[in-house]
Amino acid sequence: MYPKLDQYGQAEQTATINAIAVFRELGPLLTAIVLSGFAGASIAAELGTMVTAEEIEALEAMALNPVRFLVVPRLVATVLMTTMLAVLADVVMVAGGWLTGIKLGIDAQVYYHLTTQAVNVSGFITGLIKAAVFGMLIGLIACHLGLSVKPWRGSEGVGRATTNTVVYSIVAIIAADAVFTVIFYSYGLFK
């Protein structure tokens, strides 16, 4: 962006573009995509292995609900961690943009001022809402696919569930992001 904006004397607007892109879209989206490959795959593999080892049947035989003991904690964890990591990603990306802006010759105070002007509460909150929903999608997909492994499929079924979790999660995250963007624009939350 910098070279084109610099041609028109607007190089410092890189700060505005970076701040808006990070808080509204990139922070939650990139965090969720990374977590779908890390946490989502791990959850699916763990639950799939429990199915093939007949641990789920053992829980049911003891009259314990596997959803209550296995799914709910993982779902809560993915929602909370995606949200917290999205905030961390926002901070890191804005700081990276600030350092890059300084390196390109944008005054640090100007960059900071334009970033704080561009970021508003609604942009930050909508990013957190997106992150929470993305975390929920990762958790639901991973748990569903992990528990759907057939015991007789063994390690092949676990591998397939793990791979499908990452693919389905990324597709669901991108689709949900598009839906959220349309909703937020239609209600005037993005200006």
Side-chain angles (χ1 to χ4, degrees):
M1 294 180 296
Y2 179 83
K4 288 297 178 190
L5 289 171
D6 194 35
Q7 287 177 357
Y8 298 103
Q10 296 294 316
E12 66 275 352
Q13 291 304 317
T14 306
T16 304
I17 296 168
N18 183 48
I20 291 171
V22 165
F23 282 96
R24 290 184 189 174
E25 295 293 334
L26 294 178
L29 186 66
L30 293 178
T31 300
I33 288 174
V34 169
L35 278 179
S36 69
F38 180 71
S42 175
I43 290 169
E46 186 177 21
L47 292 177
T49 303
M50 291 174 84
V51 168
T52 59
E54 298 178 351
E55 293 174 31
I56 305 297
E57 287 181 11
L59 283 173
E60 291 171 344
M62 292 187 293
L64 297 174
N65 186 351
V67 172
R68 180 176 173 209
F69 288 101
L70 300 175
V71 174
V72 173
R74 286 165 175 81
L75 189 59
V76 171
T78 55
V79 169
L80 290 177
M81 289 313 299
T82 307
T83 305
M84 288 185 220
L85 287 173
V87 172
L88 182 63
D90 291 344
V91 170
V92 168
M93 286 188 221
V94 168
W98 181 68
L99 291 174
T100 304
I102 291 171
K103 184 73 174 166
L104 291 172
I106 301 172
D107 182 55
Q109 293 296 331
V110 171
Y111 196 97
Y112 175 78
H113 178 70
L114 289 173
T115 298
T116 56
Q117 277 186 326
V119 176
N120 56 21
V121 175
S122 69
F124 180 69
I125 297 298
T126 55
L128 293 182
I129 291 169
K130 284 182 179 184
V133 172
F134 295 163
M136 186 180 66
L137 288 172
I138 292 167
L140 287 173
I141 292 169
C143 289
H144 173 72
L145 292 176
L147 291 174
S148 297
V149 172
K150 304 298 181 211
W152 61 85
R153 294 254 187 229
S155 60
E156 177 193 348
V158 172
R160 188 177 312 263
T162 303
T163 303
N164 288 342
T165 294
V166 176
V167 173
Y168 296 166
S169 293
I170 291 173
V171 170
I173 289 164
I174 292 172
D177 189 42
V179 169
F180 271 124
T181 301
V182 168
I183 291 170
F184 291 154
Y185 268 110
S186 65
Y187 284 104
L189 295 174
F190 289 163
K191 293 177 180 156

